[in-house]
Amino acid sequence: MASSTLPVLALPNPLLLLPTGRITLPIQRSIGDTLLTLVQESEAQPIIAAVPVTSKNTLNPWGTAARILRLIRPQARSTRQPYLLTLSGISRVRVVDSTPDVSSENSTADVLGKIMTRKVEFPSDDGVPAMESVLKFKAAALKLLEQLARDTTQTAKRESYNKVAAMIEETSQSKAAWMADLMVANVNGEYADKLGKFSISV
């Protein structure tokens, strides 16, 4: 795995960002000021790691490297209005050291109230899931989409689900992980189940 050091933004439960997703969230001024400096000092759109905080108030071992698409500063006269941050997920990353700053001595508010710098590892670009895993994913995804299409009363949604199902059937082994991320990011589900998705490295 290639490694790098990135600023880490802790995402409060139940927010998370997958590599194919996009998220807009309010952030407090202390974090916004730090990210604004990062944006101003970068020639291109800067990349940070968006890492969920688990129910045990710890950083999840896996998160997503994300590009800062937009950072809207609040009006100067408003002391309580937060920044608005838009991130676009790029790649899954493993946080090498996710334990400091998250302990019984540091509350979740402390963790969420600042940008941390952490070493992260990027999964290998040539990683391809096993065919058995791909077949299981396709079967589960097609079953879910079939159920969603059957339950909806809207023709447009039904057609959309059927188009996605066709895409999944044609997805190659090398693109299966990307399609799985896309599915998890766009289908409603339990937070714990989505959080568990980060543990899959390819």
Side-chain angles (χ1 to χ4, degrees):
M1 288 187 176
S3 63
S4 182
T5 301
L6 290 177
V8 170
L9 172 67
L11 297 178
N13 186 324
L15 294 180
L16 53 80
L17 174 67
L18 287 166
T20 57
R22 180 179 292 193
I23 189 173
T24 298
L25 68 157
I27 55 173
Q28 57 185 278
R29 282 178 174 257
S30 58
I31 294 176
D33 291 340
T34 301
L35 293 181
L36 182 61
T37 300
L38 182 64
V39 169
Q40 291 173 339
E41 293 177 351
S42 300
E43 294 182 3
Q45 293 171 311
I47 295 174
I48 65 173
V51 182
V53 172
T54 70
S55 58
K56 296 181 180 179
N57 297 339
T58 60
L59 281 177
N60 193 58
W62 289 86
T64 299
R67 183 172 283 111
I68 297 177
L69 295 183
R70 181 180 296 177
L71 182 63
I72 301 176
R73 184 168 27 183
Q75 297 178 357
R77 63 178 179 271
S78 175
T79 58
R80 294 187 177 183
Q81 187 177 2
Y83 279 77
L84 280 180
L85 172 67
T86 300
L87 298 173
S88 177
I90 301 171
S91 170
R92 184 179 285 99
V93 292
R94 185 178 75 85
V95 183
V96 176
D97 188 359
S98 59
T99 54
D101 297 327
V102 191
S103 68
S104 58
E105 298 177 359
N106 295 303
S107 68
T108 305
D110 293 332
V111 175
L112 297 174
K114 59 185 175 182
I115 296 290
M116 301 166 278
T117 301
R118 291 288 180 272
K119 183 178 179 181
V120 300
E121 292 180 340
F122 291 80
S124 173
D125 289 337
D126 58 2
V128 177
M131 181 54 73
E132 181 183 358
S133 298
V134 173
L135 293 175
K136 286 181 179 179
F137 157 68
K138 285 188 174 184
L142 291 172
K143 183 177 180 180
L144 172 63
L145 289 165
E146 181 183 356
Q147 182 67 45
L148 291 172
R150 188 166 48 242
D151 291 346
T152 186
T153 58
Q154 299 179 21
T155 303
K157 279 191 175 182
R158 185 178 301 108
E159 291 176 354
S160 177
Y161 292 140
N162 290 333
K163 286 180 181 178
V164 174
M167 288 174 57
I168 288 175
E169 288 180 336
E170 297 174 3
T171 298
S172 65
Q173 186 175 356
S174 62
K175 296 292 185 182
W178 175 83
M179 182 59 77
D181 282 337
L182 187 65
M183 284 286 295
V184 173
N186 290 284
V187 175
N188 290 332
E190 293 293 328
Y191 177 73
D193 293 337
K194 289 192 174 187
L195 194 61
K197 181 72 175 65
F198 280 108
S199 65
I200 303 172
S201 60
V202 293

